[in-house]
Amino acid sequence: TLVFDYPTITEMVERVMALLFPDTEAAASESSSNQSDRPAFASTIVPIQPHGSRPPYFFVSGILGTVLDLQPLSQALDSEQPFYGLRSLGLDEAIPPYTTMEAIAAYHIHALQAVQSTGPYHLGGYSFGGKVAFEMAQQLQKQGARVASLTLIDIQRQVPAIEQTADQWSDIQYITELAKFYQGLVDQPLVLSPDDFSKAHDPLQVLQTALQTAGQTMTTLDLQRALAVYKANTQASAAYRPQPLKGIPVTLIRAETVGALGDYLPNAAQTDHDPTWGWQPLVDTLTVKTVPGNHFTLLRFPHVWTLAQTFSDTLHGQDLPSE
């Protein structure tokens, strides 16, 4: 999220220097600034596109916690649509991430209300973020706030079988599963064999090297934080049992192509049996829509144009300008 938090080259360079060389004057300057100018609360709000005349949309990131993959969706939406991402705590700061859905949602609400203090709210989330958004809607409703719409993108209600034992996973298994998500994110196979992690002295470095080969450069610190966030989010997802949510229109948007995420999402036969992926019993009004692409590519061009159109129809009933 540095791209959005530090939009100028000078600010970006100073921030990167502070991260790479914490003993330098730049780091000392930033530390002093943090203490005097910034609150202790680390906001998880990322203003991807904060301008426009329409009510803002708040969208929770997927299980990796980053909002960078949400930028194409923001670009494809109408220029009058403010679009805020909600990233995972712990990616950009030395703060342990929360490990329950309830705590994650409560923290995001705190950040959200610094931008929009009262409802009605428009919420959404991608994959894991859909469950976070669902819990946020629950908590906001209990606070007496109005949630005008809730959009869930490619996420089922049930805990997938592979995730049910996440609290027993070893570090190697977490890194192995994390690699699957990064492989979808970079949209190409990572150069890894099944034994690479189990035989390695430093499994995380093996993943770091594979990502670098695929053109995705991450520092050791970034990858350590990403692993911590992935662990916390996986544990939160595995333990979460969403409760009925009444009085809020909910839209589930599914990818047409299933299977990109393996056992984490229903297969074609399971989807035919229950197109609502388990959400129908919990809500009053549920609309299910499908968009081109798979779990990962629906957020990328050209498929994201259709996703953005579906978003626009859900929120405003208006057409987007053609690309």
Side-chain angles (χ1 to χ4, degrees):
T1 62
L2 292 176
V3 173
F4 305 109
D5 293 337
Y6 302 89
T8 69
I9 295 296
T10 300
E11 290 174 322
M12 176 68 78
V13 169
E14 289 178 352
R15 176 57 175 156
V16 171
M17 289 294 291
L19 289 172
L20 295 178
F21 306 104
D23 295 329
T24 64
E25 183 177 349
S29 174
E30 186 193 48
S31 175
S32 174
S33 175
N34 281 343
Q35 293 175 5
S36 60
D37 301 330
R38 298 187 182 184
F41 176 79
S43 178
T44 50
I45 282 279
V46 181
I48 301 176
Q49 202 296 92
H51 309 293
S53 59
R54 291 176 173 168
Y57 203 90
F58 298 93
F59 202 87
V60 187
S61 60
I63 202 159
L64 298 181
T66 176
V67 299
L68 289 177
D69 52 351
L70 302 181
Q71 188 175 16
L73 176 57
S74 176
Q75 292 172 339
L77 289 169
D78 190 286
S79 60
E80 288 299 309
Q81 178 61 63
F83 189 83
Y84 292 84
L86 284 156
R87 65 172 178 85
S88 287
L89 184 70
L91 276 184
D92 292 346
E93 57 278 305
I95 300 177
Y98 288 109
T99 57
T100 69
M101 199 69 72
E102 292 79 6
I104 294 169
Y107 198 94
H108 281 335
I109 288 173
H110 188 176
L112 175 156
Q113 290 180 329
V115 175
Q116 182 182 338
S117 59
T118 61
Y121 295 103
H122 294 279
L123 304 177
Y126 165 64
S127 192
F128 162 82
K131 289 187 175 181
V132 179
F134 192 92
E135 176 60 25
M136 290 174 67
Q138 291 267 12
Q139 294 186 21
L140 284 166
Q141 195 173 61
K142 289 177 181 177
Q143 293 176 12
R146 181 184 166 218
V147 178
S149 69
L150 174 62
T151 303
L152 315 176
I153 294 186
D154 224 39
I155 184 65
Q156 65 173 326
R157 174 179 65 87
Q158 297 89 342
V159 178
I162 189 174
E163 212 174 65
Q164 291 175 5
T165 58
D167 59 342
Q168 303 170 27
W169 288 1
S170 65
D171 283 348
I172 288 178
Q173 186 165 359
Y174 270 111
I175 294 172
T176 301
E177 296 303 315
L178 177 62
K180 295 178 183 178
F181 284 92
Y182 273 123
Q183 183 164 281
L185 188 66
V186 301
D187 199 24
Q188 61 178 295
L190 297 180
V191 183
L192 293 167
S193 71
D195 296 330
D196 282 345
F197 294 130
S198 60
K199 293 181 178 179
H201 172 70
D202 185 350
L204 203 58
Q205 186 177 37
V206 173
L207 177 57
Q208 183 181 27
T209 301
L211 286 169
Q212 187 170 4
T213 301
Q216 184 79 15
T217 301
M218 297 182 69
T219 68
T220 300
L221 177 60
D222 285 342
L223 199 51
Q224 288 171 343
R225 287 178 173 174
L227 177 60
V229 164
Y230 173 69
K231 281 184 178 181
N233 286 347
T234 300
Q235 291 166 11
S237 178
Y240 184 54
R241 301 296 181 269
Q243 300 302 305
L245 180 66
K246 303 301 181 180
I248 299 174
V250 179
T251 300
L252 170 66
I253 301 177
R254 294 191 284 101
E256 285 182 355
T257 304
V258 299
L261 206 54
D263 296 333
Y264 283 95
L265 289 175
N267 58 32
Q270 293 166 330
T271 299
D272 288 341
H273 177 71
D274 179 12
T276 75
W277 281 5
W279 292 108
Q280 183 66 77
L282 298 185
V283 300
D284 292 326
T285 304
L286 178 67
T287 302
V288 180
K289 300 184 178 183
T290 58
V291 295
N294 63 33
H295 185 76
F296 299 103
T297 61
L298 61 79
L299 285 176
R300 302 180 194 143
F301 293 106
H303 298 320
V304 75
W305 286 113
T306 305
L307 178 61
Q309 180 70 68
T310 304
F311 244 64
S312 182
D313 292 344
T314 299
L315 289 173
H316 312 292
Q318 299 175 2
D319 293 332
L320 288 171
S322 63
E323 61 270 36

